[in-house]
Amino acid sequence: MKKIILIAVLATGLCATAQKRVRGDVELTPYIGYHSSTYSSDNSTSTNTLNTVQIGVLGDFYFNNRWSIRTGLQSQTMGVEVFGFDEKLNYIQIPVNANWHFGSSRAWNLNFGLTGGVLTSAKADGEDFSEKVEGTQIGLSFGIGYKIFLNKRTGLLIDYQAFSGMTDISKDPRFDVRNVAGSLNLGCVVRL
């Protein structure tokens, strides 16, 4: 019985260290997520969150077994539900985040950085209003995630990501409006 326990402990340790990444490793993570957004504004208008689905692909470029740079492309819909209709701002977002991997098998990660976005469309209750919205935005992005290793090359990523806009998206000088969003995502991690 002692031999079985010793073998199990050694196998677990070997599996955990086999998942660590080294300088030059690259992981791609296509994902889908539940996305919730609203506005941060100096206006007192009552707004509710807008709940949508987001998709994207992220890449982690490793410096060592603890740090990587995460970037990628994300298709996100931001906006609000206000007065019974939706304002939907569709963006292509590009995050550039430092990603710290921690835990004994580096399954956990904390990431933080900046995300820039380009507006692809803006609709309020089906009507275009893109002329009233800035074409780009920049914001702080941060999140936490957990990776479930399936084997040396693949895994599942469950994470939460948040976005807090730093730039005013309204072209109307009377208002200061910024996007605020969060998402719960599920992705498939592939080590190249």
Side-chain angles (χ1 to χ4, degrees), residues 82-118:
V82 60
F83 303 125
F85 67 92
D86 295 338
E87 283 187 6
K88 293 183 178 180
L89 308 174
N90 295 306
Y91 289 94
I92 298 296
Q93 301 266 89
I94 301 173
V96 180
N97 287 5
N99 200 4
W100 176 53
H101 306 269
F102 63 99
S104 61
S105 62
R106 310 295 186 262
W108 288 95
N109 74 77
L110 285 172
N111 61 82
F112 51 90
L114 296 174
T115 295
V118 176

Side-chain angles (χ1 to χ4, degrees), residues 167-182:
T167 54
D168 184 3
I169 60 167
S170 174
K171 288 185 176 177
D172 189 333
R174 297 175 296 163
F175 302 106
D176 183 8
V177 179
R178 299 161 196 269
N179 283 313
V180 178

Side-chain angles (χ1 to χ4, degrees), residues 44-146:
S44 63
T45 303
S46 174
T47 59
N48 294 323
T49 59
L50 179 66
N51 301 308
T52 59
V53 172
Q54 74 169 2
I55 59 170
V57 64
L58 297 171
D60 271 293
F61 303 91
Y62 283 80
F63 296 117
N64 56 43
N65 70 351
R66 289 203 179 264
W67 287 96
S68 66
I69 289 291
R70 176 183 279 183
T71 189
L73 287 174
Q74 304 169 319
S75 175
Q76 296 179 331
T77 300
M78 297 192 183
V80 296
E81 181 185 315
V82 60
F83 303 125
F85 67 92
D86 295 338
E87 283 187 6
K88 293 183 178 180
L89 308 174
N90 295 306
Y91 289 94
I92 298 296
Q93 301 266 89
I94 301 173
V96 180
N97 287 5
N99 200 4
W100 176 53
H101 306 269
F102 63 99
S104 61
S105 62
R106 310 295 186 262
W108 288 95
N109 74 77
L110 285 172
N111 61 82
F112 51 90
L114 296 174
T115 295
V118 176
L119 184 71
T120 58
S121 69
K123 295 191 179 199
D125 212 23
E127 299 292 322
D128 182 68
F129 74 106
S130 55
E131 74 283 348
K132 297 179 181 179
V133 180
E134 294 292 343
T136 60
Q137 71 171 349
I138 294 176
L140 296 173
S141 52
F142 48 93
I144 186 167
Y146 184 77

Side-chain angles (χ1 to χ4, degrees), residues 154-167:
T154 59
L156 295 175
L157 176 68
I158 301 167
D159 78 348
Y160 175 81
Q161 296 295 314
F163 175 86
S164 180
M166 296 169 45
T167 54

